[in-house]
Amino acid sequence: MTPSQALASLQRPLAEQGIRTVGMTFGHQDGMLFPGTGDVVGYACGLFWWPAGRLRHGRPVYTIHPAADPDGAARRIARARQAPPAQALR
């Protein structure tokens, strides 16, 4: 699956969750999907990734999800947007 195919496959499920996308950039091996609001969703090596909303040792923690399951990724992204901010991990 190319980055453009993976990110395009995520747009419809995100829209069904009420998350509108406004743009996409991609190269040969990776790419980024830009929602109208909120964090960017990345793609690389068959995985989607996005910020988990917390820090560990002062650095952001990321959530990953297989790109073969865009519906599941969209559900997780939507759930994460509804959750209260997490505490920083030490």
Side-chain angles (χ1 to χ4, degrees):
M1 176 179 311
T2 68
S4 62
Q5 291 169 328
L7 293 169
S9 75
L10 185 57
Q11 286 181 304
R12 180 195 49 78
L14 283 175
E16 290 172 357
Q17 296 290 331
I19 301 170
R20 183 172 72 67
T21 58
V22 296
M24 181 186 330
T25 62
F26 50 87
H28 292 290
Q29 297 178 356
D30 59 8
M32 306 288 272
L33 185 63
F34 300 94
T37 60
D39 293 316
V40 172
V41 178
Y43 168 84
C45 301
L47 298 169
F48 293 124
W49 55 268
W50 59 91
R54 62 183 186 267
L55 302 175
R56 181 171 176 92
H57 303 295
R59 301 189 68 192
V61 175
Y62 290 89
T63 302
I64 60 171
H65 192 90
D69 178 24
D71 294 324
R75 283 191 300 274
R76 290 182 71 190
I77 292 166
R79 230 181 1 251
R81 287 174 168 235
Q82 296 170 353
Q87 296 289 332
L89 300 175
R90 295 175 194 202

